[in-house]
Amino acid sequence: MRLPEHLQASLAAAQEQRLRGYRGRFAPSPTGELHRGNLRTALLSWLAARRRRGEWLLRIDDLDTPRNRAGAEEAILADLLWLGLDWDGPVLRQSRRRGIYASVLSALRRAGLLYPCRCSRRLLADISAPHGGLNVYPGFCREGPHAWGPEQGRLPSWRLRLPPGNLHWREGSSCGGWLDGATAVGDGVLRRADGVVAYHLATAVDELWLGISDVVRGEDLWSSTGAQVAVMQAVGAEPPAYTHVPLWRDANGERLSKRDRSEGLTGLRRGGRDAAAVIGELAASLNLVPAGSRLSARELLASLPAEGPLLPPPQQALRQPPTPGRQQAEV
């Protein structure tokens, strides 16, 4: 598709910026305190950027207003600074970037790449897999009448019409990542029925229009990468390089949650840990330093080799998650 001239010009400028050097980001949602897994990902992302003498942006993904918690953003910023993880430029907030999301959505719709979907949450729940995750959207509304207005007082969600084939991206130091569009991604929602811009559209637009060259994030977002790469492909742009890192799990093998406040810095401080101890614990969990190390983020950075993978090979092995991404749950 051909973007409007102003969007094409701003995208071209952002892609030129990407080529000038490493540009990473950390993008938490203000839904609660960061847990150790979030903090470890932030540290890895910061190290990757600083080791390449690049930029590290901080973006607050606050579009889903009902899930935002008062004071969460301030706590996130304070935690990062306490650990010595400084960012470049002002804090970016998705809630202040709605204009560009709307412009890209309009361009996709004019190009015929979107279609309205009136499937309810109940209908989508009926096609859920036994383990609770939703199957790939089966395309109930793909070929139906494309009525964009309200029906029975309800607007449709907007889905991206995904062409057949695989979705590819650069993945860390490996040969690359991919997902089959038809069986693992499907036609993702880009605008919800309540009018809120969906996660994948906003994330994809931000990676492109902010000139992000590299994304370091948890491996639970592997399947989300397919949906975001689909948006980037639709606007004719190359995705950034991704590194999906292992999740930090508790003693029972369960992934950490923001609901467990003991796993955040508040609980760690209460247990007597200072910033040097926390950085050491985060780094030791990835075999970057011996267990029990105490050091600052800058000292950790100085101890790393200038070249080669950031993570040791055993930690860099990736698994393709068995279930599709969170876009399928949005209506």
Side-chain angles (χ1 to χ4, degrees), residues 194-323:
D194 60 5
V196 175
V197 171
Y199 165 71
H200 294 308
L201 185 281
T203 300
V205 168
D206 283 345
E207 315 297 32
L208 294 179
W209 267 265
L210 293 175
I212 301 301
S213 66
D214 294 78
V215 173
V216 177
R217 61 187 185 181
E219 67 179 354
D220 57 321
L221 292 173
W222 177 278
S223 55
S224 295
T225 306
Q228 291 156 23
V229 169
V231 176
M232 298 175 192
Q233 178 179 282
V235 301
E238 287 293 320
Y242 292 88
T243 298
H244 290 89
V245 301
L247 301 183
W248 196 325
R249 299 183 182 275
D250 63 19
N252 298 318
E254 298 294 327
R255 56 183 289 187
L256 302 185
S257 168
K258 289 181 179 180
R259 291 187 295 272
D260 187 354
R261 294 182 61 84
S262 66
E263 295 292 354
L265 281 188
T266 299
L268 295 174
R269 288 194 193 101
R270 193 176 295 128
R273 294 177 179 86
D274 59 7
V278 174
I279 292 291
E281 182 178 346
L282 298 176
S285 72
L286 289 167
N287 299 320
L288 296 177
V289 298
S293 295
R294 288 177 48 83
L295 71 174
S296 69
R298 289 285 172 183
E299 289 168 337
L300 175 59
L301 175 63
S303 73
L304 298 174
E307 302 293 337
L310 181 59
L311 297 182
Q315 295 288 348
Q316 203 140 15
L318 293 172
R319 303 184 302 277
Q320 181 172 329
T323 56

Side-chain angles (χ1 to χ4, degrees), residues 53-67:
R53 294 183 172 82
E55 293 181 291
W56 193 63
L57 309 185
L58 178 59
R59 188 185 77 219
I60 303 297
D61 288 1
D62 59 348
L63 280 180
D64 199 349
T65 305
R67 297 182 64 239

